[in-house]
Structure formats: structure tokens, C-alpha cells
Amino acid sequence: YICEQQQRHKKFWLAVLIVSLISLASIIGAAVKTSANSAPAYVDIGETVKFFVTSDVPFNKADETKLSRELSDLEPKDGDFLIHLGDINQASTTMCTFSVYDDAAALLMQSRIPVLVLPGDNDWNDCPMPEAAFDYWMEKLNRFENKFKFGADTYANFPAVTRQIGRDENFAFLHKGVLFIGVHLVDGIVQ
């Protein structure tokens, strides 16, 4: 019970840190209007940052159908990218077979905008063979944004993503003056 509380506490402070960093980057990136007769004032910072976030899907066929429809409906004008926060399957049901990761990758490729993926505890830690499951996840879902064709016509404004040395699933990128950081924070008991 104490370990669960510590994990929730860590997740809470991580969320606070991420929101604080995004807010700080937005404030720092704000343009300041100055003139000879007036004090500096904040004005429109320019482009709005819009993105999508999901997690804990797909756990079953109904989830797959719904997510497929939602991914197909995503429009680049509505958001620049999607971050999947993990748990692409339910470990106790799927037993984390290799096909689960193949199916999730095929499903996420239906997105019309770039997708970045973080592993969840059901993606490896809660699996019967956690090391093999993590290897499967790394092979099929790590650096998933690279599967989208970046060029002059498609995703031209998507930024370069930096990866943490030794923890390649962790990422960071600066987009429209906002720093995004994806951290693999394991829930449950680490094997």
C-alpha cells in the first residue's frame, strides 16, 4: 500500500512538473509589445499549440473499432500530434503476445497526424515475461513518430524529437515554443 501511494505521489508531481514546464515555456515564449509611450504588455504569442493525448486503449475489439474511427477522423488542422501514454493492451487478458504490439502499431498508423508512444505498465511490467514484452514494445512502438513521412508536404512543421541516452523510450521536443517531455514512469512493482 505504501509503494502504491509513493507511485501516485510521484505521478502527481510529474504531472505538476510537466504542466509547469508547459506554462513556463508559454510565458517565456510570449511576445512583448513595447512602444515609446507605454510599458511592456503581453500580446498574442502566435500559434496555438493543439495536440491529442490518449491512454489505456485498445483493450478489446470495441476499443479498437472506436480508436480506429477516432484516429481516422483526426485532422492536422485540429492538432499537431498525438501522444499515447501507454497501456495498449490489458496484460492479464492478452498475456502480452507479440501480435498485440503488431496490432497496436497497425492501429496507430491509421492516424493522420504523428503519434508518439510511451510504455505503460500493461505493456511490459505487468506481463508474464516483462523483459520480452518490453523488447516487443521497443521494437514496434518506440520512436513511433518516425513511421510518419516528414517532408515538405506532410508534417513539415513537426519538430525533431530528442531521446534520453540509456532510456530511449523517454523523449523531449520543442514545438511552437513549448517544451514537451515524455517520461516512462512505471506503475506497480518493477520486476
Side-chain angles (χ1 to χ4, degrees):
Y1 178 75
I2 291 173
C3 187
E4 286 178 34
Q5 282 182 323
Q6 289 172 338
Q7 289 294 330
R8 285 189 189 121
H9 186 74
K10 286 179 184 177
K11 281 185 177 182
F12 170 79
W13 285 110
L14 178 62
V16 168
L17 174 66
I18 290 171
V19 169
S20 298
L21 288 172
I22 291 171
S23 299
L24 180 62
S26 295
I27 291 168
I28 291 171
V32 177
K33 179 181 178 182
T34 59
S35 70
N37 297 332
S38 66
Y42 289 101
V43 296
D44 186 9
I45 61 172
E47 294 181 89
T48 301
V49 176
K50 296 186 288 184
F51 62 99
F52 300 93
V53 177
T54 189
S55 68
D56 300 318
V57 289
F59 279 177
N60 55 47
K61 289 294 179 192
D63 286 349
E64 284 180 32
T65 301
K66 183 178 182 211
L67 183 59
S68 176
R69 185 174 43 251
E70 290 171 348
L71 290 171
S72 297
D73 289 344
L74 292 180
E75 292 286 339
K77 67 179 173 55
D78 296 328
D80 298 327
F81 56 91
L82 167 88
I83 298 177
H84 194 296
L85 299 175
D87 290 350
I88 52 112
N89 78 103
Q90 196 165 25
S92 60
T93 305
T94 67
M95 304 307 286
C96 308
T97 60
F98 190 74
S99 64
V100 167
Y101 304 90
D102 276 331
D103 294 346
L107 184 62
L108 292 174
M109 279 305 300
Q110 294 177 21
S111 174
R112 297 176 63 197
I113 59 175
V115 178
L116 296 103
V117 187
L118 284 167
D121 59 330
N122 276 287
D123 298 329
W124 74 278
N125 191 52
D126 293 343
C127 295
M129 297 186 315
E131 289 179 14
F134 190 71
D135 288 344
Y136 293 162
W137 186 94
M138 290 293 285
E139 181 180 329
K140 294 297 179 177
L141 298 167
N142 192 42
R143 296 178 176 257
F144 198 76
E145 71 281 359
N146 291 340
K147 295 183 185 297
F148 293 82
K149 302 292 184 224
F150 298 101
D153 297 332
T154 53
Y155 319 120
N157 296 323
F158 194 75
V161 177
T162 303
R163 298 289 174 158
Q164 180 183 355
I165 296 171
R167 299 293 334 166
D168 198 65
E169 71 275 16
N170 294 339
F171 60 82
F173 59 94
L174 187 63
H175 183 61
K176 297 181 181 176
V178 179
L179 177 62
F180 289 86
I181 302 172
V183 178
H184 174 199
L185 182 63
V186 182
D187 191 16
I189 299 169
V190 178
Q191 305 297 327

